[in-house]
Amino acid sequence: MDTAEFFAQLAQQLLLSAPLFLLIALGYCLGRFAGWPESVNEGLNRFCFNVAIPCMLFKVMSKFFESPPVDMRLLIAYFGTCFVIYVIGRIAAKSLFRMDAVSASVFGLAGIFSNNVMLGIPVAIILLGASSLSSVALVLVFNSLILWTLVTVSVEWAQNGSFSVRGIGKTLVSVLRNPIIIGIFSGFAWSFLIHRPLPAFLDSPVSMVAQVAAPLTLITLGMSLSRYQIRKGLAESLTICLLKLMLMPALIWLIAWLLHLPREESQVVVLLGSMAVGINVFLMAQKFQVLQGATATSMLLSTLLSTVTTPLFMILMTHFYPNWP
């Protein structure tokens, strides 16, 4: 592949993903310049997370019986990388920025927690097709449980010198009550127990709601981002972006290659790993009153930068990833 062909394909990938980021820009403008109140953003966020996205994932998982068996190497590549990057993030936080243990825990989380719901799902649909959603859903099932447990244990250890079963139990209950996880599990239960498509009277309304999930989620994400400003913690934010947008997807790619994971599944986990920093990181920063400026800035910067870095990784994988037998 020569240079001209590479840039032509990159331009094509950027054009494919441009509508997604235009919707984010629309939401940003509505929140920053059009005077839409924060209550509207909160209402749309609640609808997306509690209704639209769970409906979409329920519909996807209800057809799980038609899909080929899930390759567990997909989870090993993704979450194995998360643990490695988290450790690197903790080390960088202490050695480069002299952070305390709680701040370092949040910093490490920022380097691995992707915006896989509001950004990852729509981008996966556009760049990889709807067939990728079953693999996306598999990562989402374990994402909150594993990563929230990881940072909860880390923070509890930092504060108390140990971790409690009660703290882990509360994390587990919180994850299982998440509407997105409920949507995935209930769809999987339908697939496993009924083993046939949804009846028309149920499929039709679920499909109609599911169709608005991706665009409405992107607009809502833009409105959420309009609440934050790039003011402080720029050096920390740029380091987070380096970990999140470059090192994490590159390491996922390497582990997937070492495991001989097929290209299609590898592209899914690399794409999810290359997504911008998730808003949950900022919520964690607020909870512990640390790195609020840096995490807000990293959300804005990583969302902007991922418009280029994610398509770039997808192109490179298309040309330089083998088709394992």
Side-chain angles (χ1 to χ4, degrees):
M1 180 175 59
D2 58 29
T3 304
E5 181 184 358
F6 172 79
F7 281 106
Q9 293 196 15
L10 178 59
Q12 183 180 10
Q13 292 280 329
L14 291 174
L15 285 174
L16 280 175
S17 56
L20 306 179
F21 294 99
L22 286 175
L23 289 174
I24 295 174
L26 171 61
Y28 186 91
C29 291
L30 291 174
R32 177 58 63 87
F33 306 116
W36 284 37
E38 188 175 324
S39 59
V40 173
N41 184 208
E42 292 175 353
L44 290 175
N45 257 317
R46 184 174 299 180
F47 176 78
C48 288
F49 276 97
N50 293 348
V51 181
I53 294 173
C55 279
M56 179 176 65
L57 293 174
F58 171 77
K59 181 175 173 62
V60 169
M61 297 307 293
S62 70
K63 299 179 180 179
F64 196 73
F65 67 92
E66 299 174 352
S67 305
V70 172
D71 196 328
M72 295 305 293
R73 291 174 295 179
L74 178 149
L75 296 178
I76 295 172
Y78 189 86
F79 291 107
T81 296
C82 286
F83 286 116
V84 173
I85 299 297
Y86 184 75
V87 172
I88 293 174
R90 288 287 306 265
I91 294 172
K94 289 190 173 184
S95 60
L96 296 179
F97 304 110
R98 301 293 188 266
M99 293 183 187
D100 59 65
V102 175
S103 298
S105 298
V106 175
F107 185 92
L109 181 68
I112 61 175
F113 207 110
S114 298
N115 195 345
N116 283 336
V117 174
M118 299 187 78
L119 193 56
I121 290 174
V123 173
I125 292 172
I126 291 294
L127 296 185
L128 302 179
S131 60
S132 66
L133 285 180
S134 57
S135 296
V136 172
L138 184 66
V139 171
L140 291 178
V141 166
F142 293 97
N143 191 62
S144 293
L145 175 61
I146 292 176
L147 299 189
W148 277 123
T149 299
L150 174 65
V151 76
T152 299
V153 169
S154 180
V155 169
E156 285 200 22
W157 186 274
Q159 292 179 330
N160 307 314
S162 63
F163 66 90
S164 64
V165 174
R166 181 182 179 186
I168 303 304
K170 288 175 64 177
T171 300
L172 177 61
V173 170
S174 176
V175 169
L176 294 177
R177 292 175 61 185
N178 187 312
I180 292 171
I181 303 303
I182 292 172
I184 293 173
F185 278 169
S186 58
F188 179 78
W190 177 280
S191 174
F192 182 75
L193 298 174
I194 308 300
H195 214 67
R196 63 180 60 185
L198 296 171
F201 78 89
L202 181 59
D203 182 70
S204 181
V206 169
S207 297
M208 285 189 287
V209 174
Q211 286 172 0
V212 306
L216 188 58
T217 296
L218 292 169
I219 293 172
T220 305
L221 172 61
M223 294 179 69
S224 297
L225 290 175
S226 70
R227 297 164 52 194
Y228 310 116
Q229 296 181 359
I230 301 176
R231 286 185 174 176
K232 50 186 176 180
L234 191 58
E236 292 89 339
S237 301
L238 290 173
T239 305
I240 288 170
C241 289
L242 179 63
L243 291 172
K244 185 70 203 63
L245 302 182
M246 300 302 295
L247 189 57
M248 183 172 176
L251 186 56
I252 292 174
W253 184 353
L254 175 61
I255 295 177
W257 177 76
L258 291 174
L259 293 173
H260 286 209
L261 186 67
R263 177 188 293 173
E264 290 75 15
E265 288 86 350
S266 298
Q267 286 182 308
V268 169
V269 287
V270 170
L271 181 143
L272 293 178
S274 72
M275 288 293 98
V277 176
I279 195 170
N280 284 331
V281 178
F282 180 71
L283 298 179
M284 180 65 77
Q286 283 186 315
K287 178 179 179 181
F288 294 109
Q289 298 295 303
V290 295
L291 296 182
Q292 295 180 61
T295 52
T297 299
S298 66
M299 285 170 50
L300 286 169
L301 289 178
S302 60
T303 301
L304 179 63
L305 294 172
S306 67
T307 62
V308 175
T309 56
T310 296
L312 180 61
F313 271 106
M314 294 300 98
I315 291 174
L316 292 174
M317 292 194 73
T318 299
H319 289 276
F320 300 108
Y321 197 88
N323 285 313
W324 301 113

